[in-house]
Amino acid sequence: MDQKFMEMALEEALKGKGKTKTNPLVGAVLVKDGQVVSKGYHAYYGGPHAEVRCLRDVEASGGTLYVTLEPCSHYGKTPPCVDLLIQKKLRRVVVGELDSNPLVSGRGIKKLKEAGIEVTYGVLEEKCHAMNKIFHFTIQKARPYVVLKMAQTLDGKIATITGDSQWITGPEAREDGHRLRGICDGILVGRGTALKDNPRLTCRTGGSNPLRIVLDRALKTPKTHHLFQDEKTIFYVGEKIKSQDLTATAKAVSVKEGQRGLDLSEVFKDLYRKEKVSTLLVEGGSQVITSFIREGLVDQWVIYQAPLFIGETGKSAVGDLGVQELKDAFYSEIRGLEVIGKDVKIQGGRECLLEL
């Protein structure tokens, strides 16, 4: 019976997909005398946790709560859930998996047991873990999960010598690329792309628009560009430019600089801790792509390859990585191939935690 009710909790948890930012997906089901009394899930970042939504306004005394992730035992955006579970006088709590957050891991279960509540954990653990792979990654790394997206020719070019790049790939591939924007929390480009393309960086396939992020050390993007309008945009700038609100929807954030440009670790820290970006889509241009690959910050990638040749005068997708011998090349596994229209979609990376 435990598995049956945990399956229900999993179904509840998935209702919050794409809305919890750096928080995990969590579902809860309250059962008394073999009957489901109530259900709940974590619906959005900063909102009530699944346990709270499930137990609110119900008599839970003597019941069993099934929850996909260990109940929290610390104060965050909301009070500790374990306190509510104890207050509700539950007889038993069944947990899918332990929380990988060091502030929680094992402590929630310990507190429940100390209060005399029977605890079982590890029910459908693999399914519960798989649902929150991104959450566990970001907790351990303290940074967003990075997906690199490129559209290029067969010889690895993203534009001609004159900068002409619209459109290398066909409409089907471009639509699929927009779909990726709709499943990521943030989308990042460099100043060159912002200046040349004047992009909107929005999702045009019905998904949510991601946070727009531009690496612009000297803040040279004109305020007439689309990035200063409509949706929220963050410009990460050098130390000489002070952090400031630029428009109603755009702001500049100063970060440290290194020999090669802005300190990406500082950018990541701000995106994860302050902006709550869990998944980050990097779209270019070449300098940004090169920096992310060189610094080992690409977790997953997708390349839309068009059946075209431009030749050596074309602009390469990836710049100099300092590789002189094959043994020093940056290796990455190919995880999938798919024909989209006239183009080929190639996926790969370390673990490929995000379904693209």
Side-chain angles (χ1 to χ4, degrees):
M1 293 298 288
D2 283 350
Q3 292 189 353
K4 171 188 171 182
F5 293 125
M6 189 60 74
E7 287 281 6
M8 292 183 184
L10 281 162
E11 290 175 7
E12 282 294 302
L14 290 171
K15 292 178 181 178
K17 190 173 183 179
K19 303 170 186 175
T20 61
K21 294 190 177 182
T22 52
N23 280 357
L25 296 173
V26 184
V29 174
L30 175 64
V31 177
K32 293 183 71 173
D33 301 321
Q35 301 297 316
V36 174
V37 176
S38 62
K39 301 177 182 179
Y41 68 97
H42 184 38
Y44 58 92
Y45 177 80
H49 287 189
E51 300 94 319
V52 175
R53 290 168 63 94
C54 180
L55 297 176
R56 187 168 46 196
D57 303 325
V58 298
E59 173 53 55
S61 180
T64 298
L65 183 73
Y66 292 83
V67 60
T68 56
L69 187 70
E70 178 183 6
C72 64
S73 56
H74 70 293
Y75 278 89
K77 285 283 184 181
T78 60
C81 288
V82 290
D83 292 352
L84 175 65
L85 272 56
I86 294 169
Q87 178 187 333
K88 286 287 187 174
K89 298 181 179 179
L90 292 165
R91 179 185 65 84
R92 182 173 178 240
V93 174
V94 181
V95 176
E97 69 162 334
L98 296 181
D99 195 328
S100 57
N101 186 339
L103 293 174
V104 180
S105 188
R107 297 180 184 182
I109 287 177
K110 180 182 178 183
K111 193 169 183 179
L112 291 172
K113 288 182 176 180
E114 289 174 347
I117 297 175
E118 180 185 345
V119 180
T120 301
Y121 63 91
V123 177
L124 298 184
E125 184 175 12
E126 289 187 8
K127 284 188 176 182
C128 292
H129 185 81
M131 177 176 62
N132 280 314
K133 289 182 292 186
I134 298 293
F135 165 73
H136 294 303
F137 174 93
T138 58
I139 280 288
Q140 292 165 4
K141 301 285 187 178
R143 68 165 177 83
Y145 181 81
V146 176
V147 178
L148 174 64
K149 189 196 93 174
M150 295 188 287
Q152 63 180 34
T153 62
L154 289 174
D155 51 350
K157 306 299 181 182
I158 57 175
T160 66
I161 192 172
T162 63
D164 185 19
S165 62
Q166 297 181 349
W167 298 101
I168 284 178
T169 53
E172 297 88 352
R174 296 200 299 274
E175 182 177 353
D176 193 65
H178 274 278
R179 183 185 59 80
L180 300 189
R181 294 180 178 183
I183 62 176
C184 289
D185 298 324
I187 178 171
L188 183 148
V189 297
R191 181 181 66 203
T193 298
L195 290 174
K196 173 180 168 293
D197 296 341
N198 188 15
R200 293 184 182 274
L201 301 183
T202 54
C203 174
R204 289 166 234 171
T205 57
S208 301
N209 285 328
L211 172 66
R212 304 182 300 182
I213 303 147
V214 185
L215 303 182
D216 187 354
R217 179 165 49 177
L219 194 56
K220 291 186 177 181
T221 306
K223 287 189 178 180
T224 53
H225 273 37
H226 296 308
L227 290 166
F228 284 94
Q229 305 162 14
D230 304 323
E231 300 295 325
K232 184 177 179 180
T233 305
I234 297 179
F235 291 86
Y236 284 101
V237 298
E239 296 166 288
K240 294 180 180 179
I241 309 291
K242 66 177 182 179
S243 296
Q244 58 187 300
D245 291 330
L246 302 169
T247 65
T249 57
K251 68 177 181 178
V253 176
S254 301
V255 295
K256 295 178 181 178
E257 299 178 62
Q259 292 182 341
R260 297 179 182 271
L262 298 177
D263 186 334
L264 292 179
S265 66
E266 289 286 309
V267 173
F268 274 10
K269 185 186 299 183
D270 188 76
L271 286 174
Y272 181 68
R273 295 181 180 176
K274 293 186 180 179
E275 301 300 330
K276 305 304 176 184
V277 171
S278 179
T279 48
L280 178 64
L281 183 66
V282 175
E283 287 202 0
S286 177
Q287 186 174 344
V288 170
I289 289 171
T290 304
S291 295
F292 271 76
I293 293 175
R294 185 196 303 117
E295 297 189 28
L297 295 174
V298 177
D299 304 304
Q300 188 171 346
W301 49 264
V302 55
I303 297 174
Y304 298 96
Q305 193 117 27
L308 303 171
F309 293 99
I310 289 180
E312 67 175 349
T313 59
K315 187 173 182 180
S316 297
V318 184
D320 181 19
L321 292 173
V323 176
Q324 297 187 9
E325 298 182 26
L326 280 177
K327 65 180 179 63
D328 299 321
F330 290 72
Y331 176 78
S332 185
E333 291 189 28
I334 294 176
R335 304 273 182 161
L337 294 167
E338 178 185 357
V339 175
I340 298 185
K342 67 180 182 65
D343 307 307
V344 175
K345 176 183 178 182
I346 312 171
Q347 297 187 58
R350 297 169 184 166
E351 299 178 78
C352 293
L353 303 182
L354 199 61
E355 294 181 12
L356 303 180

